[in-house]
């Protein structure tokens, strides 16, 4: 059984990183440090830097996962010494060790959240058990992840059986779980009536599932369109200007090439019950 892990955070400590840990100038430098540390620690048998989404793709036994430099890169840049950077990298390696230890047990249903990704986000190879997903809108699907302190592993089809539930029931529960997080979401206004919906850098795309918020906007403004060009970027417009879909499309097309964790250039319209792609 293959497990899919996507690690964003780090905790605790394990002294396996290289003795000299120079300050990384770019995320690519941090990815190289991560690769060396994971291989040295024996946590991965194979590790490859994927430039398409700036991640480190790793495999050990029947598990495959991705790790991103995100927060680690910022902390390594801010650290004042090699020793401090070494400690941070050790902590990150330990987080991966914890995630791998937890990967083979059923997920905690209370910690399962929905995320929206491109339908081709995960490529399934022969012999792999695929992640749970359902159609969303346009070229996107809803996937499920377990939100852990050190990682966000994808919920896979075998987990549905282990939890003795169904895919629709698990997706419904994940949405209810996520509703607790939406209380922390906020708007940041930009030009021309557009706004960015902000949460924590990992679940912005999932905010499209906050139906109560979008229905309030629809009732007040008469129309809502939105786009999620990246995992951490939700742009929307509430109003009835017929030019705004084209305006938002141009903005998204200009942005998408320079974004990490890209999702889609589709522009979506909220109808009070669901999102549909504007064609």
């Amino acid at each position: 059984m293959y497990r899919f892990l996507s690690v964003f955070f780090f905790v605790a400590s394990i002294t396996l990183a290289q003795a000299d840990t120079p300050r990384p100038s770019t995320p690519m430098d941090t990815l190289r440090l991560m690769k060396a540390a994971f291989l040295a620690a024996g946590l991965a048998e194979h590790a490859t830097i994927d430039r398409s989404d700036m991640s480190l793709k790793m495999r050990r036994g029947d598990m495959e996962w991705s790790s991103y430099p995100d927060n680690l890169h910022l902390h390594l840049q801010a650290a004042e010494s090699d020793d401090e950077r070494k400690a941070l990298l050790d902590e990150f390696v330990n987080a991966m060790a914890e995630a791998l230890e937890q990967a083979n047990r059923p997920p905690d249903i209370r910690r399962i959240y929905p995320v929206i990704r491109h339908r081709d986000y995960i490529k399934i190879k022969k012999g792999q058990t695929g992640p749970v997903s359902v159609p969303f809108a346009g070229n996107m699907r809803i996937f499920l992840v377990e939100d852990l302190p050190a990682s966000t592993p994808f919920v896979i089809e075998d987990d549905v059986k282990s939890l003795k539930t169904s895919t629709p029931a698990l997706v419904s529960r994940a949405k209810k779980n996520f509703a607790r997080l939406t209380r922390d979401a906020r708007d940041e206004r930009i030009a021309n009536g557009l706004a960015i919906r902000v949460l924590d850098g990992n679940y912005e795309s999932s905010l499209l599932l906050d139906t109560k918020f979008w229905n309030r906007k629809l009732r007040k403004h008469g129309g809502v369109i939105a786009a999620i060009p990246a995992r951490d970027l939700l742009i929307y417009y509430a109003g009835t200007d017929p030019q705004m879909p084209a305006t938002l499309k141009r903005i998204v097309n200009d942005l998408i090439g320079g974004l990490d964790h890209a999702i889609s250039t589709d522009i979506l319209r909220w109808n009070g019950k669901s999102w549909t792609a504007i064609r």
Side-chain angles (χ1 to χ4, degrees):
M1 179 178 68
Y2 280 76
R3 298 288 293 183
F4 298 87
L5 299 177
S6 185
V7 175
F8 305 114
F9 309 111
F10 58 95
V11 295
S13 63
I14 186 170
T15 55
L16 294 169
Q18 60 195 68
D20 294 324
T21 308
R23 177 178 283 109
S25 297
T26 66
M28 181 60 69
D29 295 334
T30 297
L31 283 169
R32 294 189 181 102
L33 290 172
M34 290 163 57
K35 178 179 179 179
F38 286 137
L39 291 174
L43 295 181
E45 296 169 350
H46 300 280
T48 303
I49 293 174
D50 186 342
R51 292 176 180 268
S52 67
D53 67 350
M54 291 303 290
S55 69
L56 185 64
K57 299 290 192 291
M58 288 172 283
R59 179 167 60 83
R60 188 180 78 176
D62 63 351
M63 287 186 288
E64 292 185 353
W65 68 95
S66 299
S67 186
Y68 296 86
D70 297 1
N71 293 347
L72 178 62
H73 177 65
L74 297 176
H75 285 273
L76 290 177
Q77 283 195 314
E80 297 181 353
S81 68
D82 280 1
D83 287 343
E84 186 177 350
R85 283 185 288 274
K86 178 180 179 297
L88 290 169
L89 193 55
D90 288 342
E91 289 169 359
F92 193 85
V93 171
N94 183 74
M96 181 62 70
E98 288 189 3
L100 293 175
E101 287 178 5
Q102 296 169 336
N104 288 319
R105 51 126 184 93
D108 182 344
I109 197 168
R110 299 167 298 178
R111 303 184 66 90
I112 295 176
Y113 295 142
V115 295
I116 300 170
R117 300 290 185 265
H118 192 277
R119 62 191 173 209
D120 298 326
Y121 178 70
I122 294 177
K123 303 292 186 182
I124 305 301
K125 299 178 182 178
K126 184 178 180 180
Q128 288 182 328
T129 299
V132 173
S133 72
V134 295
F136 176 59
N139 56 16
M140 291 164 276
R141 296 181 69 85
I142 297 173
F143 295 84
L144 303 181
V145 299
E146 184 184 14
D147 190 74
L148 299 174
S151 64
T152 53
F154 283 91
V155 176
I156 62 174
E157 293 166 358
D158 285 351
D159 292 328
V160 178
K161 300 176 184 177
S162 298
L163 293 170
K164 298 180 180 179
T165 186
S166 66
T167 294
L170 195 56
V171 171
S172 178
R173 176 58 187 268
K175 291 179 179 179
K176 291 179 181 177
N177 292 343
F178 179 69
R180 298 193 302 265
L181 302 186
T182 61
R183 292 173 292 186
D184 296 325
R186 67 185 190 278
D187 278 357
E188 292 184 359
R189 299 291 172 182
I190 53 179
N192 301 320
L194 293 166
I196 295 174
R197 196 86 176 122
V198 179
L199 189 55
D200 65 354
N202 296 306
Y203 290 107
E204 272 75 4
S205 69
S206 303
L207 290 172
L208 285 180
L209 303 173
D210 185 3
T211 58
K212 291 182 179 179
F213 174 83
W214 300 114
N215 279 334
R216 287 196 301 270
K217 291 292 181 181
L218 183 61
R219 287 193 297 268
K220 182 177 180 179
H221 300 281
V224 178
I225 61 171
I228 46 172
R231 182 188 76 196
D232 57 352
L233 182 58
L234 191 169
I235 311 173
Y236 80 91
Y237 165 76
T240 57
D241 185 340
Q243 301 303 315
M244 288 308 295
T247 298
L248 183 54
K249 183 70 171 181
R250 286 194 297 272
I251 292 172
V252 170
N253 285 340
D254 288 343
L255 288 174
I256 194 80
L259 296 174
D260 294 331
H261 320 302
I263 297 179
S264 175
T265 60
D266 280 357
I267 307 302
L268 308 178
R269 188 186 304 278
W270 179 247
N271 63 19
K273 294 182 179 180
S274 63
W275 293 97
T276 57
I278 299 174
R279 300 303 185 189

